[in-house]
């Protein structure tokens, strides 16, 4: 557990997200039985899977949910924007399956994307673990930066970007477009490390719908 | 390791409403070593077993007590009578815990029958601050930056 690590302006609503509607699922072992389930379980699995496979800083969205055959209740597509503005992440039926295209927390501004909050959680947890390992001297900070990069599944490019430097602060580019930098100092016997994280710009999945009517094809962008 | 009972053993099973078996009643007599019980009334019940082998009768076993609680009954409310106060309290508590710890993230769902307007209304209530909406089930809404102060 850790506290007091985060931004100067902490919004507690960024620690949760709402998903809707419910899922009607069919289990492989019991194909004749349909089960109604709230979406939180399936979405939690999706978030965990995305974090383990690709990293916590990627939006847990645009991935089909297995076993889902229908949604309940049916929501009015014309209200999608209103629901999105209310920070309700909708499970939708798309041609390739049932999936979530939005991944918003309940917070506003910078902490609205789930992946930004989870990246900050990852950095804080990893940073504290590293600090416990290497709290003896600022000269060991490159090791700490390497530790963070490794646990963040950063690429070798990241490691070669300057981690061998032994000064007290630099910027490390991450694999998927996020950056972090740190500054270390010793003040009145206290070893102080300040991590600053710049997540990649929140990625919003846009849907381009191709419609052919007669001999006229049009492309529209929908949310 | 299971130990097979002697072939000729007969078991007596007694049930009583008191721990000293003053009003004991034999509810089974036979060779089986297991017996399924069904209770119609809640209360405390006591059981003991005695074995009879080739005319030799053992002492009664130590008594075993079983407490049977009231039947749990579920009653469905009318949809119009549903109140989200408990759900709001649980979700606010979850958010508060995640924010206070700093290393947890909660994934929330809404009631199954909520359509567009009800879903938006619920999330608006969830995000309302203490100066706007009162507590539900004695759980107050989250204040801005509250997690840092916990």
């Amino acid at each position: 557990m850790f506290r007091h690590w985060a931004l100067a302006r902490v919004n507690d609503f960024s620690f949760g997200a709402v998903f809707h509607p419910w899922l009607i699922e069919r289990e492989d072992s019991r194909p004749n039985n349909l089960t109604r389930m709230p979406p939180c379980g399936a979405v939690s699995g999706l978030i965990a899977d995305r974090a383990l496979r690709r990293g916590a800083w990627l939006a847990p969205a645009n991935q089909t949910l297995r076993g889902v055959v229908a949604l309940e209740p049916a929501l009015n597509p014309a209200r999608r924007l209103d629901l999105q503005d209310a920070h309700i992440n909708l499970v939708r039926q798309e041609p390739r399956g049932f999936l979530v295209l939005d991944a918003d927390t309940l917070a506003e501004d910078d902490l609205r994307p789930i992946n930004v909050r989870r990246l900050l959680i990852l950095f804080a947890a990893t940073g504290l673990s590293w600090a416990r390992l290497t709290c003896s001297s600022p000269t060991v900070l490159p090791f700490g930066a390497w530790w963070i990069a490794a646990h963040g599944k950063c690429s070798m490019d990241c490691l070669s970007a300057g981690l061998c430097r032994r000064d007290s602060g630099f910027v490390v580019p991450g694999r998927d477009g996020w950056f972090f930098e740190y500054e270390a100092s010793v003040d009145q016997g206290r070893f102080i490390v300040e991590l600053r994280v710049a997540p990649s710009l929140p990625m919003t999945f846009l849907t381009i719908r191709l419609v052919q009517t007669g001999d006229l094809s049009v492309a529209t962008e929908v949310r | 390791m299971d130990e097979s009972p002697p072939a000729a053993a007969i078991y007596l099973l007694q049930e009583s409403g008191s721990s000293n078996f003053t009003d004991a009643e034999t509810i089974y007599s036979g060779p089986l070593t297991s017996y399924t019980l069904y209770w119609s009334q809640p209360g405390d019940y006591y059981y003991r077993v005695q074995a009879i082998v080739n005319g030799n009768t053992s002492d009664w076993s130590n008594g075993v007590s079983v407490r049977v609680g009231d039947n749990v009954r579920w009653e469905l409310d009318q949809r119009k009578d549903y109140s989200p106060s408990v759900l709001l309290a649980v979700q606010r508590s979850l958010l508060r815990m995640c924010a206070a710890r700093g290393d947890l993230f909660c994934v929330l769902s809404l009631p199954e029958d909520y359509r567009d307007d009800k879903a938006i209304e619920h999330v608006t209530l969830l995000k309302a601050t203490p100066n706007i909406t009162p507590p539900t089930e004695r759980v107050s809404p989250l204040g801005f930056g509250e997690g840092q102060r916990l």
Side-chain angles (χ1 to χ4, degrees):
Chain A
M1 185 169 78
F2 50 86
R3 300 176 182 170
H4 305 294
W5 56 271
L7 308 175
R9 192 163 58 86
V10 171
N11 189 333
D12 299 336
F13 290 110
S14 67
F15 287 91
V18 173
F19 290 82
H20 199 55
W22 280 39
L23 314 177
I24 298 178
E25 301 175 343
R26 174 179 287 146
E27 295 180 24
D28 293 340
S29 58
R30 297 189 303 168
N32 294 326
N33 289 353
L34 297 178
T35 308
R36 313 165 87 87
M37 299 289 289
C40 49
V43 172
S44 297
L46 174 66
I47 291 174
D49 180 69
R50 179 63 58 92
L52 288 172
R53 291 176 185 273
R54 299 180 58 189
W57 51 87
L58 290 172
N62 202 25
Q63 182 172 326
T64 55
L65 299 170
R66 288 172 49 195
V68 179
V69 297
L71 302 173
E72 177 68 26
L75 299 175
N76 182 1
R79 300 296 307 278
R80 280 181 179 171
L81 187 58
D82 296 333
L83 291 160
Q84 187 182 19
D85 287 344
H87 297 234
I88 299 171
N89 301 295
L90 294 181
V91 183
R92 303 186 194 180
Q93 182 175 10
E94 297 290 330
R96 60 195 174 93
F98 294 87
L99 42 80
V100 181
L101 292 181
D102 302 311
D104 291 337
T105 69
L106 291 166
E108 306 291 344
D109 303 331
D110 295 339
L111 294 176
R112 180 163 181 166
I114 290 176
N115 51 304
V116 171
R117 164 50 67 205
R118 286 179 49 78
L119 174 63
L120 293 179
I121 289 174
L122 174 69
F123 261 82
T126 309
L128 282 192
S129 299
W130 152 63
R132 293 190 194 100
L133 286 173
T134 62
C135 61
S136 57
S137 166
T139 59
V140 298
L141 277 174
F143 169 74
W146 170 84
W147 203 88
I148 288 176
H151 283 252
K153 299 180 181 176
C154 191
S155 67
M156 290 303 293
D157 293 337
C158 169
L159 298 179
S160 63
L163 289 178
C164 59
R165 293 172 56 185
R166 288 184 177 270
D167 54 9
S168 61
F170 51 82
V171 178
V172 178
R175 183 172 69 177
D176 294 293
W178 49 265
F179 294 81
F180 80 87
E181 60 184 14
Y182 71 81
E183 287 184 6
S185 60
V186 177
D187 179 31
Q188 297 179 347
R190 295 180 305 166
F191 176 38
I192 301 171
V193 178
E194 185 171 289
L195 285 172
R196 290 186 290 273
V197 185
S200 57
L201 285 176
M203 180 177 292
T204 301
F205 292 97
L206 302 176
T207 302
I208 308 297
R209 181 171 295 156
L210 301 176
V211 181
Q212 185 174 39
T213 305
D215 58 353
L216 180 65
S217 296
V218 297
T220 57
E221 183 177 305
V222 297
R223 288 297 306 263
Chain B
M1 187 175 73
D2 288 335
E3 193 169 311
S4 300
I10 297 294
Y11 299 96
L12 303 181
L13 173 63
Q14 285 194 336
E15 179 185 71
S16 174
S18 62
S19 58
N20 56 11
F21 291 90
T22 52
D23 57 347
E25 178 184 353
T26 301
I27 58 174
Y28 174 75
S29 175
L32 298 179
T33 56
S34 65
Y35 186 80
T36 303
L37 292 163
Y38 299 94
W39 298 274
S40 59
Q41 296 295 325
D44 292 335
Y45 296 85
Y46 299 86
Y47 298 91
R48 64 182 181 181
V49 177
Q50 185 180 57
I52 302 173
V53 181
N54 297 329
N56 299 315
T57 303
S58 73
D59 293 334
W60 285 102
S61 68
N62 293 331
V64 175
S65 64
V66 176
R67 172 160 292 175
V68 179
D70 289 328
N71 288 334
V72 177
R73 296 177 56 195
W74 296 92
E75 187 173 337
L76 287 176
D77 291 334
Q78 295 290 323
R79 182 172 294 180
K80 63 180 177 57
D81 296 330
Y82 173 76
S83 167
S85 60
V86 173
L87 181 63
L88 278 169
V90 170
Q91 293 183 336
R92 284 169 177 161
S93 300
L94 269 174
L95 278 167
R96 182 170 280 122
M97 180 182 71
C98 292
R101 282 186 53 105
D103 58 350
L104 295 178
F105 186 85
C106 59
V107 180
L108 309 175
S109 296
L110 301 175
E112 182 183 6
D113 62 311
Y114 272 19
R115 294 184 182 275
D116 317 287
D117 290 333
K118 290 290 286 183
I120 293 171
E121 179 187 342
H122 183 91
V123 174
T124 303
L125 277 174
L126 183 61
K127 294 181 64 180
T129 49
N131 57 332
I132 295 177
T133 185
T136 58
E137 306 296 326
R138 293 179 292 174
V139 177
S140 60
L142 266 72
F144 191 81
E146 180 186 319
Q148 275 200 315
R149 297 193 297 271
L150 293 175

